[in-house]
Amino acid sequence: MGSSNIIVREYLESLKEDTELDYLFPIMLNIMGFRIITTAKEAKGQSQYGKDIIAVGNDENGVMHRFYFELKGHDAKDITDSNYFVKDGVRESIIEAKDTAFNDASVPNFNSLPIKIVFVHNGTIKTNIRPTFDGFINTTFPNGGFERWDIYKLTDLFSQYLFSEYLLTDEESLRLFKKTLVLLDAPNNDFSDFQSLVDLQIEKIQAVKGGRALKKFFATLNLLSMVILHYSKENNNLFPARECLTYLLLKVWAWVLKNNLEEKKPILSEYRKLVSIHFEMLEAYFEKTIDVAKTEDGLYSERGGPFEEVGYPIRCFDYLNYLVYYLHARKQWPKFSNELPITKDRILGKFHKALLMKILDNNDGCARPLLDNHSIAILNSILYFLKDKNLTQAELNFIGGDYLVRIFNNLMIIKTIRGRFPELHNNATTLTEYVSTKTRPYNYEDRSSLLIPILFELVALFNAESIYKDFKDGIKGKVNLQTACPNFQEFDIEQLLFEKHFNEEYYIEHDIELTDELSDFKKAVEEKGIEAIDYRTDKAGFSFLRILAHVYYENEFFPHEWRVLFSKNGLVK
């Protein structure tokens, strides 16, 4: 067995029946040419009678059959004398698959097709049970109609149909894949090997718009995602999965936009599978961390020592960004609530705003911006409330009053005591050097700010006259206020948003004035107008991905994201 097959086999052996194996196996069947009728995922909570997956396809002789696939994995992956006779064990599952009828009038000639039952397990059959098993199969299926696909069969099939054309045939892909797995949990890993691996797969596919090659491409990406998620869970560290799967999701969507495929239903169908895996990862991530995050200073690390002066706020804003993205996406695409288990209402139920308020309230780091691009998390959080149709007055008072005041207070305290505003170029290393040495590095830049004018525009949005008066004089004349606007005339901003951190793609408005009166400042903002942007991503049903792109590549939000609210009735007039 080649080295690539060994990697595939080791991965397949570790899959669980009720999660990874149930998800990946239909992908492979689809690549093999089967038409899937039902899957185990669709039948959750219902009796499956030995039919985890029902599909139509040709057997090895080219004869069309109804295929009933029964999947066993994880603890039940091996056929042993202990799981052979038990309830819902090997023997009972096979008998139920044979004896229980399944008809489907929507598929032409389905009910008249011959039946083949396939027992699928990512393990082996133990020697002491083999005679009993073989005797049972010979008696139950005297005329054939049964197959057993074990780990060796699955390894051959996955290698042939998922890996053969894209992932592991060229030496560079194989090298990058191995290196990714070896270094996945290594400290200070920047995941560049995984990023290169994803880029290489996209380079191979180029602009293929359909057919078998496209299915293999997406199947490879699905499998890559599942491998990373599996080993991250196994290492009890979901950060690598978060970084790797987010990169993959965004780069693939950039490829979709680049090739104008966002209206192709087969493409969207395949891409949704990648989004689902990303959601599964985030669900596990927040399930593991949310109880701690919502406690008082829950995101603070005592072991961080002096570094926590920087580490605590950075960790808070990072956590906020992904949590708010997750909640935004859940609201914008309710279909996910039927596809993935929602295990705890405290994360995704009617208390999601209360949960977010609790995290913001209990973690002072969420209101202590140290880098200019911390505006992303602040806007993410505030806009999440403002876009909710059921916003209460108490919630409005919190985000437009208490939270903003805390942010301004922290800005002024740090400026007064430490002598600095947030670092303009978002250089965390320079910031850390400043904090640890108490000496300003030559490259620490805070003479200008993109963050502070956003805060004042939010003040104007909330008509918070007292906040404006309390903090205007502490800022005015001490820092050059700027706004970054996307240059749509020269760049394909939407595609690039999913590919990179912006540098030349923004043009900067300088020397923004804080007028004496809030009403004059608000009028000046309103007069700038709102540039209408017609996003192809939004039309395809993935508007939440734009939030993820801003978060991952650390690109400041475009002004229209909050300025559009100035023209709406109710909240801000």
Side-chain angles (χ1 to χ4, degrees):
M1 180 179 292
S3 58
S4 61
N5 275 17
I6 292 174
I7 293 175
V8 176
R9 189 193 69 191
E10 290 179 348
Y11 171 64
L12 292 174
E13 285 178 327
S14 67
L15 297 180
K16 298 179 181 179
E17 172 203 351
D18 60 347
T19 52
E20 297 101 337
L21 188 58
D22 275 355
Y23 185 86
L24 283 175
F25 191 72
I27 296 174
M28 187 187 69
L29 290 180
N30 184 258
I31 297 297
M32 292 174 68
F34 285 88
R35 176 180 176 180
I36 308 295
I37 308 301
T38 65
T39 67
K41 196 173 195 178
E42 296 163 350
K44 286 296 182 187
Q46 307 175 37
S47 297
Q48 297 169 43
Y49 301 108
K51 303 177 181 66
D52 286 324
I53 298 170
I54 298 174
V56 174
N58 294 328
D59 67 2
E60 65 277 5
N61 298 316
V63 179
M64 184 73 69
H65 278 71
R66 280 180 280 177
F67 281 84
Y68 299 159
F69 294 94
E70 170 68 3
L71 276 60
K72 296 290 185 183
H74 199 43
D75 293 337
K77 66 182 180 180
D78 295 318
I79 300 177
T80 67
D81 54 2
S82 62
N83 66 15
Y84 180 72
F85 289 105
V86 298
K87 182 175 177 57
D88 196 33
V90 174
R91 191 175 190 277
E92 182 178 299
S93 297
I94 295 173
I95 291 174
E96 285 186 339
K98 182 176 184 296
D99 291 348
T100 306
F102 179 91
N103 296 317
D104 191 332
S106 66
V107 181
N109 302 317
F110 178 86
N111 298 335
S112 62
L113 290 174
I115 296 172
K116 179 161 288 191
I117 295 171
V118 183
F119 188 85
V120 181
H121 63 116
N122 55 334
T124 61
I125 183 170
K126 299 304 180 182
T127 304
N128 60 346
I129 197 64
R130 180 181 287 276
T132 303
F133 179 84
D134 289 343
F136 164 69
I137 296 300
N138 291 334
T139 302
T140 308
F141 301 94
N143 300 315
F146 177 86
E147 292 183 12
R148 180 174 65 87
W149 294 2
D150 62 5
I151 184 62
Y152 301 107
K153 174 76 171 179
L154 291 176
T155 299
D156 289 341
L157 291 174
F158 272 81
S159 297
Q160 178 182 352
Y161 289 98
L162 290 184
F163 288 100
S164 59
E165 187 168 340
Y166 287 101
L167 185 57
L168 296 175
T169 52
D170 64 285
E171 292 184 4
E172 181 62 8
S173 290
L174 180 57
R175 184 188 71 82
L176 290 169
F177 185 56
K178 287 180 177 179
K179 198 172 179 183
T180 294
L181 295 184
V182 169
L183 299 177
L184 188 64
D185 202 36
N188 302 317
N189 185 2
D190 62 1
F191 309 106
S192 57
D193 295 307
F194 181 82
Q195 293 171 6
S196 297
L197 178 59
V198 171
D199 293 345
L200 184 55
Q201 308 319 302
I202 293 174
E203 181 183 332
K204 289 180 185 179
I205 192 66
Q206 295 299 334
V208 174
K209 294 180 173 59
R212 188 179 182 86
L214 186 65
K215 289 182 178 180
K216 285 191 174 184
F217 169 68
F218 275 103
T220 295
L221 297 176
N222 273 278
L223 193 53
L224 266 179
S225 298
M226 292 301 296
V227 168
I228 296 299
L229 179 55
H230 167 77
Y231 283 112
S232 294
K233 287 180 177 179
E234 191 175 78
N235 293 333
N236 197 31
N237 179 10
L238 288 168
F239 179 75
R242 196 192 77 175
E243 293 300 294
C244 291
L245 270 60
T246 300
Y247 181 85
L248 183 148
L249 196 65
L250 296 177
K251 291 292 282 192
V252 173
W253 188 248
W255 169 80
V256 170
L257 293 176
K258 182 178 180 179
N259 292 284
N260 299 307
L261 301 174
E262 70 278 358
E263 295 183 0
K264 304 294 184 181
K265 289 183 178 180
I267 298 290
L268 296 180
S269 177
E270 295 294 339
Y271 187 76
R272 288 188 187 100
K273 297 174 185 177
L274 297 176
V275 180
S276 295
I277 299 175
H278 191 266
F279 259 70
E280 181 182 339
M281 174 272 299
L282 286 179
E283 188 163 76
Y285 180 76
F286 292 119
E287 174 70 17
K288 185 176 180 180
T289 60
I290 203 73
D291 280 338
V292 173
K294 68 179 184 178
T295 59
E296 186 173 357
D297 290 323
L299 294 173
Y300 183 86
S301 173
E302 293 183 359
R303 292 183 298 178
F307 172 72
E308 283 304 278
E309 184 176 340
V310 173
Y312 179 38
I314 288 178
R315 188 180 306 112
C316 285
F317 287 120
D318 177 75
Y319 192 85
L320 274 180
N321 269 329
Y322 280 93
L323 177 61
V324 176
Y325 159 75
Y326 184 59
L327 296 176
H328 260 303
R330 281 288 192 182
K331 290 178 66 176
Q332 293 175 26
W333 206 9
K335 178 181 177 182
F336 274 129
S337 63
N338 297 321
E339 291 185 352
L340 293 172
I342 301 176
T343 52
K344 296 197 176 179
D345 288 341
R346 66 173 184 273
I347 300 177
L348 299 169
K350 62 182 179 180
F351 304 112
H352 53 273
K353 287 185 291 182
L355 170 67
L356 185 53
M357 287 172 63
K358 198 165 190 177
I359 292 174
L360 291 171
D361 199 35
N362 280 342
N363 290 276
D364 187 63
C366 294
R368 201 190 308 164
L370 303 181
L371 303 172
D372 232 44
N373 64 13
H374 285 160
S375 64
I376 299 171
I378 293 170
L379 275 170
N380 243 341
S381 302
I382 291 177
L383 291 178
Y384 180 74
F385 285 91
L386 293 183
K387 291 179 180 179
D388 189 279
K389 295 179 180 179
N390 300 312
L391 184 69
T392 67
Q393 187 62 45
E395 292 163 351
L396 184 59
N397 291 342
F398 176 81
I399 59 168
D402 297 349
Y403 184 49
L404 273 179
V405 168
R406 286 170 56 210
I407 293 172
F408 273 110
N409 273 331
N410 283 328
L411 283 176
M412 298 314 301
I413 289 171
I414 293 172
K415 177 61 177 175
T416 301
I417 297 176
R418 305 298 187 193
R420 67 175 192 270
F421 281 121
E423 211 281 326
L424 176 66
H425 301 304
N426 309 304
N427 191 329
T429 301
T430 299
L431 171 64
T432 303
E433 180 185 345
Y434 196 168
V435 170
S436 61
T437 65
K438 304 297 188 292
T439 302
R440 177 181 287 265
Y442 74 93
N443 58 341
Y444 187 92
E445 179 57 68
D446 64 347
R447 290 171 295 179
S448 301
S449 177
L450 299 169
L451 164 68
I452 295 174
I454 291 175
L455 296 177
F456 277 107
E457 289 198 25
L458 290 173
V459 168
L461 185 65
F462 290 112
N463 289 316
E465 188 84 38
S466 61
I467 299 178
Y468 188 80
K469 288 183 177 179
D470 287 345
F471 295 103
K472 168 178 63 68
D473 292 339
I475 298 294
K476 192 172 184 179
K478 296 181 176 65
V479 59
N480 188 326
L481 304 183
Q482 304 179 348
T483 297
C485 301
N487 187 347
F488 285 97
Q489 286 69 41
E490 296 185 32
F491 300 97
D492 186 342
I493 291 294
E494 182 174 4
Q495 179 190 322
L496 293 175
L497 179 63
F498 295 94
E499 290 186 334
K500 58 178 288 190
H501 176 73
F502 287 172
N503 290 307
E504 304 299 325
E505 292 79 7
Y506 283 121
Y507 65 86
I508 304 299
E509 177 187 353
H510 299 270
D511 302 310
I512 296 171
E513 181 184 3
L514 292 179
T515 57
D516 290 337
E517 300 297 328
L518 175 61
S519 58
D520 293 331
F521 178 76
K522 183 174 181 179
K523 183 179 179 181
V525 174
E526 291 176 329
E527 287 177 350
K528 294 176 182 178
I530 302 165
E531 185 176 5
I533 301 175
D534 194 18
Y535 288 109
R536 293 184 286 156
T537 301
D538 294 13
K539 289 183 178 179
F542 298 103
S543 59
F544 51 87
L545 283 180
R546 294 192 287 107
I547 297 174
L548 187 63
H550 280 286
V551 167
Y552 183 81
Y553 292 113
E554 299 182 342
N555 288 317
E556 284 82 2
F557 277 111
F558 306 152
H560 75 271
E561 295 286 354
W562 67 89
R563 286 180 182 170
V564 69
L565 297 173
F566 279 89
S567 63
K568 293 184 178 295
N569 295 323
L571 280 175
V572 298
K573 292 291 184 183

